[in-house]
Amino acid sequence: MAINCNLVSVIGLLLVLTLLQNPVTVAGQRNSGAALFTFGDSNFDAGNKQTLTKTSVAQGFWPYGKSRDDPNGKFSDGFIAPDFLAKFMGIPIEIPPALVPNVNVSRGASFAVADATLLGAPVESLTLSQQVRKFNQMKANWNDDFIKKSAFLIYIGANDYLNFSKNNPNADASAQQAFVTSVTNKLKNDISLLYSSGASKFIIQTLAPLGCLPIVRQEYKTGMEKCHEPLNDLAKQHNEKIGPMLNEMAKSAQGFQFTVFDFYDAIIRRTQKPSSYRLFMTNASCCGIGTHDAFGCGLPNVHVRLCEYQRSYLFFDGRHNTEKAQEMFAHLLIGADKNVIQPMNVRELVVYPVDENMTEEWVPTTPATVQARDSRSSSHGYESY
Amino acid sequence: KPSNRKLRSATTTRHRFGFLSMANPKSHLFSLSFFSLLLLHFPAVSLGQTLFVFGDSLYDAGNKQFVSSNRVDSRFPPYGVTVGEATGRWSDGRIIPDYLATFMGIPEIPPILRGTADFTHGANFAIADATVLGSPPETLTLSQQVMKFSDNKNKWTAQTRSEAIYLFYIGSDDYLNYAKNNPNPSDDQKEAFVDRVITSVEAELKVIYGYGGRKFALQSLAPLGCLPAVKQASGNVQECVRLPSEMAALHNKKLMQLLVELSRQLSGFQYSFYDFFSSIQNRVIKSTTYTFETGMVACCGTGSSCSTNNVCANPEDYLFFDGKHLTQEGNLQAGHLIWGSDPEVIGPNNLRELLFIPLDTEVILADIQEARDSTRRPRQIKIESLHYQEVGISDGEPMALSS
């Protein structure tokens, strides 16, 4: 073969080769061959709770599941965010509850359980570290390479702070700080456990503004306009620690990859400007009773009010989002910009080469850092992978 | 002449690019934002909505008494027991059209034969024992109901008639009678009979269309073999009877095909097709999941007629009130499903969306297979999120998220 190829054709060839390597095409998600594993509390519980308790759980009954006429143990009127995220990742099935026998876990599973916490021993539930242990017990279902390239989505801590707030209504700043430190330390520990089990791609969802959950507004009697700020404060303190903690872990653990989804902000935006998100009601629930219709959805003998058009509500019950909102969050997870999920979105995280350390880190989002990032480049630099 | 803006309500990639080349993206974005604005600013729907109801005893709000020379049970307790008044409805309380009217922000739609009623927001032509075919006594067939509508059509302006919802539930009695008279039909005979029914339904829908109707909401038939009265008559109350349910399922399949076909044939024809068959099946098989203690037995007089002597203490724990009709609670759940659920349950749009689709918009599904799929899997493109088209669409195989 002739040695002198001209530059243009070389570059052209390289470009073509690059395009051919790109597993993420504009037209859609090729099957990246990765699974999605979820951990945490009722937000991601796909039906595990019923296996841990003898009483029938409310989320197994109408009106839960009303959008699909299928009450299935999820805290939603239909699917939850992981189901949509899975679809966007090319996974053709819902992410099933791992604790239920005979489910198809070939594309991932949910280890999340309602009432889960980081600390303590929640009743009829599993702490995050217990969930990790369960994952280890089931590891034979997947091979190590598959685990390494799969996504691990975690949402946990809400119950720790909700309980803390209820039991320590007058906690001062230093008591709060101490509690936040112990919670986040435990989180770091549990993530390390998962990492040693073979996981390498972590998506940590920050806590919602807990004070704005309808059930919290209702219980703390904040009225319709306000949230219960002390709980928002606790959530913020917790969330602030997540990014730096993960940065540190990424520096000291080979191949540790992560991203942080700013769920707090996603909820706040929707409560502040509902109409921009085509939402009508964001401070009260679709299903329940009380000042904010927040209590009792699915409970026997509770005659709840049930909204007629749940798709225009942010919350289906007192603390869980409607299917419509969950779908929005999945869109944010898979493909939003750094002001929403950083240092990269899930699409980028999933195709980032395994065993490689990340080159970008999480940065506290201020106007200055956003500008700096934007000026550096318009591409995230990961498209070539 | 209004421009024909076409919206896709379900797609796979193989159609997506075709759509992009067909429609002017700008006008489609305009119509998208236009009626999503409508959705924002009128959350409690109150735009002078109109509802016309056609069908049989499931929807009858009190017409039967005006044509019957016999005692009409629904005019007497325990019918209406939950709302304290027997209004001629075949239930302990409100029926599906009542809930839909409430969700639409209008008063309950009165029966057309009650001359003194206020028909501003529509009329109810449904009547017990109504059929599609034949000429049963003391009732009005679908065609006769449509004729009544025609006789009365000047009660409403042409504009009102074109914006109104036309709601249908009919065919049960056709198939129950057929099953009774033909205990062992061949597949061809079954198909032939269903075709006759569907052909007749098609003709009546076209008559309504001719009078300006554009928004059609059709409820598929229940698994008729699971009605307590039918099981009782068969001698085995534990099992649903096969033939009536089979006929209903075949009817439902062909009805959906008809709607897809009409949406292609008739300009501006819009529809919602509610999978009532699955709703009832779910509630018969997994009653407690849907808050019912039983879906096998009726609250009142399954085999015999319903009277104050044999009515249950708490109707809301039952799916069926009498041998053939739902309790108020059953009707309420169906109402919620019709109004606001996903395309898997009512497709391609739920009733609330159907109300807001602008009149000159056509919702087209490219072929019947796609239509069938779209009502079974969660839609990947929803009207209000069409601009998400670039993200999240699977390459190739439809995502079967439903089991």
Side-chain angles (χ1 to χ4, degrees):
Chain A
M1 174 128 178
I3 295 177
N4 61 357
C5 317
N6 76 45
L7 186 61
V8 174
S9 58
V10 169
I11 291 178
L13 181 63
L14 282 175
L15 262 175
V16 170
L17 287 175
T18 316
L19 285 171
L20 288 176
Q21 304 287 14
N22 186 351
V24 183
T25 63
V26 171
Q29 297 67 43
R30 291 280 164 72
N31 190 334
S32 60
L36 174 62
F37 295 95
T38 63
F39 294 81
D41 61 25
S42 50
N43 273 34
F44 292 160
D45 187 339
N48 286 318
K49 179 71 169 181
Q50 187 65 85
T51 66
L52 297 174
T53 175
K54 289 218 169 36
T55 38
S56 299
V57 293
Q59 63 271 23
F61 295 91
W62 173 279
Y64 281 101
K66 120 190 244 268
S67 281
R68 307 186 68 243
D69 202 24
D70 181 25
N72 58 7
K74 294 179 178 157
F75 287 88
S76 171
D77 48 294
F79 291 137
I80 54 176
D83 299 321
F84 292 107
L85 182 60
K87 179 167 73 162
F88 299 158
M89 288 170 63
I91 297 170
I93 54 175
E94 294 168 59
I95 302 301
L99 306 184
V100 172
N102 302 320
V103 295
N104 176 3
V105 297
S106 65
R107 302 307 303 272
S110 162
F111 291 84
V113 186
D115 303 317
T117 54
L118 278 159
L119 303 175
V123 176
E124 292 180 334
S125 184
L126 301 173
T127 57
L128 177 58
S129 61
Q130 287 172 319
Q131 294 175 25
V132 174
R133 211 165 305 154
K134 271 271 180 276
F135 171 76
N136 280 323
Q137 287 167 5
M138 290 178 63
K139 261 182 75 176
N141 283 294
W142 313 283
N143 72 40
D144 290 342
D145 282 332
F146 189 64
I147 291 176
K148 207 185 270 191
K149 62 179 179 172
S150 293
F152 286 73
L153 174 62
I154 305 176
Y155 182 78
I156 188 96
N159 292 322
D160 293 86
Y161 296 108
L162 290 170
N163 294 338
F164 177 83
S165 179
K166 196 179 305 183
N167 300 329
N168 307 274
N170 300 310
D172 66 7
S174 73
Q176 290 184 12
Q177 225 173 55
F179 187 69
V180 170
T181 301
S182 61
V183 171
T184 49
N185 280 346
K186 188 69 167 59
L187 176 59
K188 179 173 185 179
N189 206 14
D190 293 341
I191 294 176
S192 305
L193 273 178
L194 255 184
Y195 173 78
S196 352
S197 306
S200 75
K201 293 175 183 285
F202 297 90
I203 310 156
I204 311 301
Q205 178 166 314
T206 63
L207 294 181
L210 301 174
C212 298
L213 302 175
I215 190 67
V216 173
R217 297 192 206 219
Q218 183 163 305
E219 283 176 2
Y220 287 91
K221 302 182 173 37
T222 65
M224 288 316 260
E225 305 305 316
K226 292 190 155 58
C227 301
H228 182 64
E229 286 309 321
L231 266 169
N232 281 358
D233 221 59
L234 273 172
K236 269 190 278 200
Q237 289 180 49
H238 172 98
N239 294 340
E240 271 159 22
K241 293 192 167 243
I242 303 293
M245 168 183 99
L246 293 166
N247 280 344
E248 234 185 85
M249 293 177 81
K251 288 199 186 85
S252 58
Q254 172 64 34
F256 182 97
Q257 302 167 1
F258 75 92
T259 190
V260 181
F261 169 43
D262 191 352
F263 186 55
Y264 186 102
D265 203 50
I267 297 290
I268 286 287
R269 278 192 243 226
R270 281 157 179 77
T271 57
Q272 284 174 351
K273 291 198 297 173
S275 56
S276 298
Y277 300 89
R278 299 191 192 90
L279 295 171
F280 164 62
M281 181 70 78
T282 60
N283 51 10
S285 311
C286 167
C287 172
I289 51 172
T291 52
H292 296 69
D293 294 327
F295 174 79
C297 191
L299 287 182
N301 306 319
V302 178
H303 273 106
V304 296
R305 181 191 166 269
L306 180 61
C307 77
E308 61 234 32
Y309 205 66
Q310 62 282 6
R311 296 172 68 73
S312 56
Y313 280 65
L314 178 57
F315 292 97
F316 183 66
D317 67 10
R319 52 184 281 191
H320 303 101
N321 300 107
T322 53
E323 182 187 60
K324 176 72 186 163
Q326 306 259 6
E327 189 180 5
M328 289 194 230
F329 303 141
H331 279 288
L332 296 177
L333 279 160
I334 194 74
D337 286 353
K338 290 188 197 325
N339 63 317
V340 175
I341 178 168
Q342 54 145 322
M344 50 182 144
N345 56 41
V346 173
R347 176 184 290 202
E348 292 159 345
L349 179 69
V350 166
V351 300
Y352 203 86
V354 291
D355 289 326
E356 271 196 32
N357 291 335
M358 296 190 336
T359 52
E360 290 206 26
E361 55 170 32
W362 179 92
V363 176
T365 316
T366 66
T369 58
V370 172
Q371 228 180 5
R373 264 191 174 142
D374 286 347
S375 68
R376 233 178 299 141
S377 82
S378 57
S379 89
H380 299 297
Y382 303 124
E383 280 87 357
S384 57
Y385 289 108
Chain B
K1 204 171 181 191
S3 64
N4 264 342
R5 290 177 297 226
K6 297 182 200 293
L7 281 181
R8 295 202 70 89
S9 65
T11 189
T12 57
T13 47
R14 106 187 119 85
H15 288 292
R16 185 158 43 88
F17 296 111
F19 159 69
L20 284 178
S21 62
M22 263 187 337
N24 175 355
K26 264 197 238 143
S27 77
H28 127 69
L29 278 174
F30 170 77
S31 73
L32 167 67
S33 50
F34 172 70
F35 72 83
S36 64
L37 262 165
L38 274 184
L39 277 167
L40 305 174
H41 292 294
F42 299 92
V45 178
S46 53
L47 291 173
Q49 304 305 338
T50 316
L51 175 63
F52 295 109
V53 183
F54 301 85
D56 60 26
S57 51
L58 195 72
Y59 284 174
D60 186 346
N63 277 321
K64 181 71 168 179
Q65 60 177 312
F66 295 99
V67 298
S68 179
S69 49
N70 300 316
R71 177 193 203 266
V72 175
D73 287 348
S74 61
R75 292 282 299 136
F76 300 93
Y79 286 94
V81 62
T82 299
V83 292
E85 187 193 358
T87 59
R89 290 171 170 73
W90 300 85
S91 182
D92 55 299
R94 310 179 79 203
I95 55 175
I96 289 169
D98 297 328
Y99 287 115
L100 298 181
T102 300
F103 296 154
M104 286 168 72
I106 54 182
E108 292 177 358
I109 306 299
I112 190 65
L113 297 179
R114 185 180 304 150
T116 55
D118 177 3
F119 298 109
T120 314
H121 295 283
N124 185 329
F125 301 87
I127 178 166
D129 304 314
T131 55
V132 175
L133 302 175
S135 46
E138 297 195 338
T139 187
L140 298 171
T141 60
L142 176 61
S143 145
Q144 288 168 324
Q145 293 178 30
V146 172
M147 253 186 289
K148 265 259 175 281
F149 170 75
S150 160
D151 291 342
N152 285 278
K153 68 178 185 296
N154 293 318
K155 286 185 164 62
W156 306 281
T157 65
Q159 174 81 3
T160 299
R161 292 197 309 263
S162 68
E163 291 172 348
I165 299 284
Y166 296 80
L167 177 70
F168 297 83
Y169 184 78
I170 191 135
S172 298
D173 285 317
D174 292 85
Y175 298 111
L176 288 174
N177 292 338
Y178 181 84
K180 202 184 306 178
N181 299 328
N182 302 273
N184 248 320
S186 70
D187 284 347
D188 284 340
Q189 287 171 322
K190 288 183 230 170
E191 181 131 8
F193 185 72
V194 173
D195 282 339
R196 280 177 57 204
V197 174
I198 296 292
T199 301
S200 193
V201 170
E202 175 177 5
E204 298 310 321
L205 293 180
K206 284 179 165 165
V207 172
I208 302 274
Y209 179 87
Y211 290 132
R214 291 293 178 271
K215 295 173 182 287
F216 297 82
L218 284 92
Q219 178 167 324
S220 77
L221 293 179
L224 300 172
C226 298
L227 299 175
V230 177
K231 295 192 305 192
Q232 181 95 358
S234 82
N236 179 2
V237 292
Q238 291 307 319
E239 259 185 55
C240 295
V241 186
R242 175 176 300 188
L243 180 56
S245 294
E246 241 180 54
M247 302 293 291
L250 185 56
H251 168 95
N252 295 339
K253 185 173 95 156
K254 288 183 178 263
L255 183 57
M256 188 179 62
Q257 290 172 345
L258 170 65
L259 292 171
V260 173
E261 186 51 41
L262 290 178
S263 72
R264 271 187 272 174
Q265 264 181 41
L266 305 174
S267 166
F269 182 93
Q270 303 170 359
Y271 71 94
S272 293
F273 185 60
Y274 165 48
D275 185 4
F276 185 57
F277 189 101
S278 295
S279 300
I280 297 300
Q281 209 169 43
N282 287 340
R283 285 157 177 76
V284 166
I285 297 175
K286 298 186 286 181
S287 311
T288 53
T289 297
Y290 295 87
T291 75
F292 300 105
E293 279 186 21
T294 174
M296 300 287 279
V297 176
C299 161
C300 178
T302 293
S304 49
S305 56
C306 174
S307 78
T308 48
N309 296 329
N310 56 9
V311 66
C312 68
N314 26 320
E316 70 177 8
D317 287 339
Y318 289 73
L319 172 63
F320 292 103
F321 181 64
D322 64 14
K324 292 171 66 174
H325 308 103
L326 303 184
T327 51
Q328 175 173 273
E329 178 62 27
N331 288 323
L332 172 61
Q333 294 189 12
H336 272 286
L337 292 170
I338 295 172
W339 182 250
S341 62
D342 289 353
E344 160 153 310
V345 176
I346 176 168
N349 304 289
N350 55 43
L351 194 65
R352 190 188 139 129
E353 289 161 351
L354 183 68
L355 262 175
F356 281 113
I357 299 177
L359 274 178
D360 60 357
T361 306
E362 290 174 22
V363 179
I364 294 181
L365 294 161
D367 57 53
I368 286 177
Q369 185 57 43
E370 195 177 6
R372 215 173 283 145
D373 289 344
S374 80
T375 57
R376 259 203 309 249
R377 63 162 194 254
R379 74 202 301 185
Q380 290 157 334
I381 294 192
K382 304 187 201 275
I383 287 183
E384 67 268 25
S385 59
L386 269 167
H387 64 284
Y388 288 132
Q389 214 169 1
E390 294 76 31
V391 183
I393 300 179
S394 81
D395 200 17
E397 282 302 300
M399 292 304 183
L401 279 186
S402 56
S403 50

